[in-house]
Amino acid sequence: MRDEKSIERLLEIFVTSVCIAEQYSVALKNAYKDAGYRVEMEAFTQSLRREGDVSFSDSLREIRKHTARVARVITFYELDRLPVDALDLPSLSEAIPVLHASIIRAFANANVPFRDAFREKVTSATDSRRFERYFDPGTAPCLDAFRRVQENTACPFAPPARLWGAPTYDATQSVRENLRNCLPILSSFTRVAQREVLDGFVFAFPVQVFGGDVADLSRLLKTFISFLMANDPAGPRTIVRDEVLSPDWHFSFAGEDYFVNVLSPRYGNDHTRYTHGVRDYVFVVLQPDASFHARIPTERSEETRRNIREAFENIYQGYEHQNLEAHRFILPASHADTSVAWYDAEEYAEVIGGYTMPPDVE
């Protein structure tokens, strides 16, 4: 037996989980394929028709179990509360397709056409605007600005990259105040990226505020790195020059190593950090090591790096490989220039509504 309220609740769960997948940059089509399900809705529902004598109440119990599992994953991502079953906890890419399959199977057991009910639900006037998030880093405005870079760079991994972005920079606040507002989102990104294989977190800093030449970028990056290190949930620390210049130094945040990629409109179109016509922003992109390891097998890492350098050289954007990790964050304007010592730059000082140089007021 089934009732209309239960059917309505199942639709609520399905639609909400689709919105959750969107918010956490879960590619549902790929997730369905990885789970062994058909991607097309019609084929998906047909493949999950009534199976044996499973009752509707049994189906509901199965759905409760899968819904609770999704909820535990979200609790971990948002609140950093490690569940008891953390080691066995799936990613949302794994958990949501299983939840969807159980819901569609319940509809089949109840003899209710899922496709028609779902279409009516998502097109209704009351539901079409219900699932807006106060700020969704997966659809941050800075990602729209960055898309031109993403689509035109010679890096083959950029176009399909799954990115989150910071809130729009508020010029009425200091750089540290802006970064402080990003800390919870960046912490959540770190947890999500390790399980959902996200590829980068984008910050967009206005050129009108910060400038864009190498000296400007150095001051900005020194302030940026210093603030994140001082507010690292894995343990606060400071920039130590000798450590930064060691061969094994990597920038890390919340237990994840990140490569820091700085792009500026001041670089010419023959430079790898060219912004492809975006003139208003300097981009700082944090790329988690977890993404590199997931996308590039260890045995192919050198070959992949060589192929990427050749791709840039083919569009006249060749570059000299910097030996130290820190020297790869900001590249010099010309290959003939020395490595950029951003770690020696003076930080921006904190004042209400802006900043001063040198940083003598905190």
Side-chain angles (χ1 to χ4, degrees), residues 252-270:
S252 66
F253 182 83
E256 174 70 25
D257 286 345
Y258 280 98
F259 179 71
V260 184
N261 203 347
V262 180
L263 303 93
S264 170
R266 299 291 175 83
Y267 289 121
N269 60 8
D270 60 347

Side-chain angles (χ1 to χ4, degrees), residues 292-356:
F292 291 112
H293 297 322
R295 307 293 186 198
I296 305 172
T298 303
E299 64 273 11
R300 293 183 52 200
S301 59
E302 286 303 319
E303 175 189 355
T304 301
R305 290 190 180 94
R306 184 170 59 252
N307 291 340
I308 291 174
R309 285 196 292 270
E310 289 176 356
F312 277 106
E313 288 171 356
N314 288 339
I315 60 170
Y316 305 102
Q317 291 183 347
Y319 60 95
E320 295 293 328
H321 181 71
Q322 301 288 332
N323 291 324
L324 293 179
E325 177 85 354
H327 290 160
R328 299 171 193 160
F329 292 176
I330 300 175
L331 295 184
S334 169
H335 300 325
D337 296 338
T338 58
S339 300
V340 178
W342 57 266
Y343 39 81
D344 288 333
E346 292 182 290
E347 296 181 38
Y348 285 107
E350 193 93 0
V351 296
I352 300 301
Y355 354 86
T356 59

Side-chain angles (χ1 to χ4, degrees), residues 125-201:
T126 56
D127 281 295
S128 59
R129 297 183 300 273
R130 283 184 53 211
F131 299 99
E132 296 178 0
R133 184 175 178 173
Y134 66 98
F135 173 72
D136 181 0
T139 59
C142 68
L143 298 181
D144 293 332
F146 188 70
R147 189 164 293 113
R148 186 181 296 184
V149 178
Q150 190 177 359
E151 293 175 349
N152 289 282
T153 180
C155 178
F157 295 99
R162 299 159 63 196
L163 306 173
W164 279 19
T168 300
Y169 190 88
D170 183 353
T172 66
Q173 296 184 328
S174 72
V175 61
R176 289 180 181 81
E177 289 170 324
N178 275 271
L179 291 174
R180 187 171 292 110
N181 295 335
C182 294
L183 288 174
I185 305 169
L186 183 57
S187 295
S188 178
F189 171 82
T190 302
R191 295 188 291 273
V192 175
Q194 291 170 344
R195 290 175 174 266
E196 308 296 341
V197 194
L198 305 184
D199 299 300
F201 193 98

Side-chain angles (χ1 to χ4, degrees), residues 58-315:
D58 286 340
S59 296
L60 292 181
R61 279 191 287 272
E62 180 186 19
I63 291 166
R64 290 190 192 101
K65 179 182 69 176
H66 296 312
T67 302
R69 212 169 193 198
V70 170
R72 289 198 296 274
V73 177
I74 295 171
T75 298
F76 173 51
Y77 287 169
E78 292 294 332
L79 303 178
D80 195 19
R81 293 176 181 171
L82 196 63
V84 175
D85 59 349
L87 294 178
D88 299 322
L89 204 61
S91 65
L92 290 178
S93 299
E94 296 166 328
I96 290 178
V98 176
L99 172 61
H100 286 180
S102 66
I103 292 173
I104 293 173
R105 190 177 294 114
F107 271 74
N109 292 333
N111 288 319
V112 177
F114 173 79
R115 185 180 182 184
D116 295 341
F118 175 72
R119 180 179 295 147
E120 181 180 354
K121 180 71 175 174
V122 296
T123 56
S124 66
T126 56
D127 281 295
S128 59
R129 297 183 300 273
R130 283 184 53 211
F131 299 99
E132 296 178 0
R133 184 175 178 173
Y134 66 98
F135 173 72
D136 181 0
T139 59
C142 68
L143 298 181
D144 293 332
F146 188 70
R147 189 164 293 113
R148 186 181 296 184
V149 178
Q150 190 177 359
E151 293 175 349
N152 289 282
T153 180
C155 178
F157 295 99
R162 299 159 63 196
L163 306 173
W164 279 19
T168 300
Y169 190 88
D170 183 353
T172 66
Q173 296 184 328
S174 72
V175 61
R176 289 180 181 81
E177 289 170 324
N178 275 271
L179 291 174
R180 187 171 292 110
N181 295 335
C182 294
L183 288 174
I185 305 169
L186 183 57
S187 295
S188 178
F189 171 82
T190 302
R191 295 188 291 273
V192 175
Q194 291 170 344
R195 290 175 174 266
E196 308 296 341
V197 194
L198 305 184
D199 299 300
F201 193 98
V202 179
F203 292 84
F205 294 97
V207 170
Q208 186 176 3
V209 175
F210 293 97
D213 62 25
V214 168
D216 297 329
L217 300 180
S218 296
R219 288 195 294 270
L220 173 60
L221 186 63
K222 175 70 175 295
T223 306
F224 178 91
I225 295 288
S226 178
F227 180 86
L228 292 184
M229 289 178 65
N231 292 274
D232 188 348
R237 58 202 190 283
T238 59
I239 293 178
V240 178
R241 191 178 193 276
D242 288 346
E243 293 178 358
V244 172
L245 293 177
S246 68
D248 56 352
W249 182 84
H250 297 271
F251 169 69
S252 66
F253 182 83
E256 174 70 25
D257 286 345
Y258 280 98
F259 179 71
V260 184
N261 203 347
V262 180
L263 303 93
S264 170
R266 299 291 175 83
Y267 289 121
N269 60 8
D270 60 347
H271 201 285
T272 58
R273 303 294 175 84
Y274 176 55
T275 55
H276 296 274
V278 179
R279 301 177 183 275
D280 299 331
Y281 296 104
V282 165
F283 296 109
V284 178
V285 185
L286 299 183
Q287 298 173 262
D289 272 14
S291 169
F292 291 112
H293 297 322
R295 307 293 186 198
I296 305 172
T298 303
E299 64 273 11
R300 293 183 52 200
S301 59
E302 286 303 319
E303 175 189 355
T304 301
R305 290 190 180 94
R306 184 170 59 252
N307 291 340
I308 291 174
R309 285 196 292 270
E310 289 176 356
F312 277 106
E313 288 171 356
N314 288 339
I315 60 170

